[in-house]
Amino acid sequence: MRVGKSDSIVGSLALHGGDPVREVWLPYARQSVGDEDVAAVVEVLEGDWITQGPKIEAFEKTVAEYSGAKYGVAFCNGTAALHAACDAAGIGTGDEAVTTPLTFAATANAVVYCGGTPRFADVRPDTLNIDPDGVAKMITDRTKAILTVDFGGHPAELDPIMETARRMGLIVIEDAAHALGGRYRNRPVGSIADMTILSFHPVKHITTGEGGLVLTNDAERAERLRTFRHHGMERPFANRPWHYAISHLGYNYRITDIQCALGLSQLGRAEELLTQREALAHRYRERLTHSPFVTLPTVLEEVRHAWHIFVVLLNLERIRVDRDEVMRAMRAENIGVQLHYPLVHLHPYYRRGFDYGEGLCPVAESLFPRLMTLPLFPLMTDSDQEDVLAALDKVLSHFAQSDVPAG
Ligand SMILES: *Cc1c(COP(=O)(O)O)cnc(C)c1O
């Protein structure tokens, strides 16, 4: 008997020729830009300043207020902000900084830009953030700083880390690219570490196209960051304001007024956007908490999670294929799952340049093959989210080990 497409293929994986759960690709993240954002940018374009004007300071002040910090210094992207923070922390040739392997490579790269060596402390198996006990063990007499990351939006365990840093005379830099609006023990992310870094890339909470910012409570450090952003340039000659001096090496890491106008407008909606992320994340957690196929990272009582991304850990012993095959199958269903992140110490550059390899961070390495990120962004609809859950169910029950009851 000839079998028609509808008989043979409906219900089978799109990866194997079946119909996908949805027709249109759902990305894992995307910006939310509204009419008032567009109007704010146009207004700047029609004015006197498109860069180095008043919008930059206004944006810096507003982000600092929102985050409970005294000063904000904006940069052309989050990576430049990290570089500036590492410089302001005094990291130089031969120095070390302790950080997590489970982050975007920029966190560690920034240490290398300054001539330093990133040392990787392992992560906690529950929150996936850097393990404070592991941090203490990695400190040597060359250590200058600790770089924490709020992985996925879960604020890092800063109290024990700050305590270690104070005792050892180290600077703490919090890479909060995932955590604008988050809170740790009732304090806003941005008010706790010596410096806190934000990114305004379109996948992040609010966007300036490209952009970043360093928050700090220290006026001198803020000034150093501003100088670093602009070639290391100072104007020390009161009677010759046209003259300048390069006091130390800086870069052109400036952001524009166009970008800051967008950022200011976006920041006005930061709470609304975060509430939308929270609602989606809570729904995912409700629906996936009893799945036999995935484990959800822990959310500690003491934090407000900022839900930059929604990460699940696949229970690989319950399925017949690896994470990459699950991702291929999900993407064939038009669900844009992602991987956060390839472990930093295992990138070819770090293996070659620093002699790192497997075995350095056993917890992160054992979790890595299980990581998968589901789509999450404020403009995602309930029906988009149902598609993600339907595709996940379809793919994982297809790949289930025969002894696992369907989730
Ligand atoms: C996005 C991100 C950065 C870099 O930000 P850019 O603005 O893209 O340069 C740094 N660290 C982490 C953890 C990030 O997610």
Side-chain angles (χ1 to χ4, degrees):
M1 192 183 82
R2 231 178 119 252
V3 187
K5 180 178 161 111
S6 57
D7 299 321
S8 67
I9 298 198
V10 166
S12 73
L13 297 187
L15 186 67
H16 301 153
D19 292 331
V21 158
R22 56 184 278 138
E23 291 299 320
V24 183
W25 177 255
L26 181 70
Y28 88 93
R30 67 158 293 160
Q31 70 276 15
S32 159
V33 173
D35 293 345
E36 67 277 40
D37 297 325
V38 174
V41 170
V42 170
E43 191 192 314
V44 166
L45 285 171
E46 290 169 341
D48 291 334
W49 301 91
I50 55 175
T51 190
Q52 305 310 101
K55 291 291 179 196
I56 296 174
E57 222 183 291
F59 180 56
E60 291 172 336
K61 276 210 165 87
T62 317
V63 178
E65 263 163 39
Y66 179 70
S67 309
K70 280 203 184 119
Y71 309 99
V73 182
F75 288 84
C76 53
N77 57 60
T79 304
L82 275 163
H83 183 186
C86 286
D87 172 78
I91 298 172
T93 308
D95 293 332
E96 295 178 1
V98 180
T99 191
T100 167
L102 188 56
T103 181
F104 186 50
T107 317
N109 288 354
V111 175
V112 182
Y113 296 162
C114 295
T117 298
R119 304 266 285 157
F120 296 98
D122 213 342
V123 299
R124 295 172 50 141
D126 53 356
T127 63
L128 312 183
N129 277 333
I130 198 167
D131 182 347
D133 297 332
V135 170
K137 287 189 195 114
M138 297 303 290
I139 291 168
T140 71
D141 54 11
R142 293 174 159 190
T143 310
K144 276 272 163 44
I146 302 166
L147 275 92
T148 64
V149 174
D150 307 317
F151 182 76
H154 190 301
E157 286 280 80
L158 273 186
D159 277 353
I161 290 170
M162 291 302 294
E163 204 268 318
T164 303
R166 291 295 169 258
R167 194 158 31 83
M168 314 288 288
L170 309 176
I171 301 289
V172 175
I173 301 170
E174 179 177 11
D175 180 343
H178 295 187
L180 179 69
R183 295 177 79 83
Y184 171 71
R185 298 188 173 166
N186 274 325
R187 284 164 285 162
V189 164
S191 68
I192 309 167
D194 296 300
M195 286 176 275
T196 302
I197 275 72
L198 300 170
S199 163
F200 308 118
H201 183 274
V203 300
K204 306 289 163 66
H205 294 78
I206 64 164
T207 190
T208 58
E210 297 280 354
L213 192 135
V214 184
L215 297 162
T216 182
N217 289 326
D218 184 311
E220 230 171 275
R221 207 166 273 144
E223 191 47 40
R224 168 109 186 172
L225 292 163
R226 276 182 218 112
T227 310
F228 189 81
R229 172 176 70 182
H230 188 56
H231 310 279
M233 191 184 285
E234 285 176 359
R235 296 192 187 272
F237 317 107
N239 58 348
R240 288 177 293 153
W242 46 87
H243 203 48
Y244 59 80
I246 303 296
S247 56
H248 58 268
L249 188 64
Y251 294 77
N252 178 355
Y253 278 169
R254 295 187 305 261
I255 193 168
T256 64
D257 273 52
I258 306 168
Q259 292 167 297
C260 289
L262 177 56
L264 261 174
S265 174
Q266 289 255 305
L267 194 64
R269 286 195 293 139
E271 274 304 305
E272 176 197 326
L273 295 170
L274 184 48
T275 307
Q276 286 161 342
R277 288 180 178 277
E278 282 174 329
L280 290 160
H282 291 154
R283 164 104 69 89
Y284 269 144
R285 286 184 74 85
E286 250 170 56
R287 297 279 291 274
L288 293 174
T289 227
H290 298 298
S291 164
F293 301 114
V294 302
T295 299
L296 302 176
T298 300
V299 180
L300 298 177
E301 285 287 336
E302 64 205 35
V303 305
R304 181 192 192 189
H305 200 303
W307 295 114
H308 162 54
I309 50 176
F310 194 90
V311 173
V312 300
L313 294 160
L314 295 172
N315 296 336
L316 292 176
E317 73 288 358
R318 299 243 164 123
I319 50 183
R320 291 177 282 119
V321 294
D322 63 11
R323 182 264 321 280
D324 295 324
E325 188 69 359
V326 172
M327 285 187 63
R328 268 178 222 115
M330 289 293 287
R331 286 172 163 233
E333 303 293 340
N334 278 325
I335 305 297
V337 290
Q338 260 299 353
L339 173 63
H340 294 95
Y341 290 98
L343 299 177
V344 181
H345 66 290
L346 299 180
H347 285 302
Y349 174 78
Y350 283 95
R351 289 177 185 268
R352 216 170 50 234
F354 299 90
D355 212 18
Y356 294 145
E358 279 82 8
L360 192 65
C361 299
V363 177
E365 289 164 32
S366 73
L367 295 172
F368 172 73
R370 303 175 55 200
L371 294 170
M372 184 170 77
T373 300
L374 305 181
L376 173 68
F377 54 92
L379 284 180
M380 205 170 129
T381 64
D382 291 354
S383 131
D384 291 333
Q385 189 170 32
E386 287 304 330
D387 289 343
V388 178
L389 290 163
L392 197 62
D393 192 45
K394 178 182 174 185
V395 166
L396 294 177
S397 48
H398 178 89
F399 288 136
Q401 291 286 5
S402 47
D403 57 347
V404 181

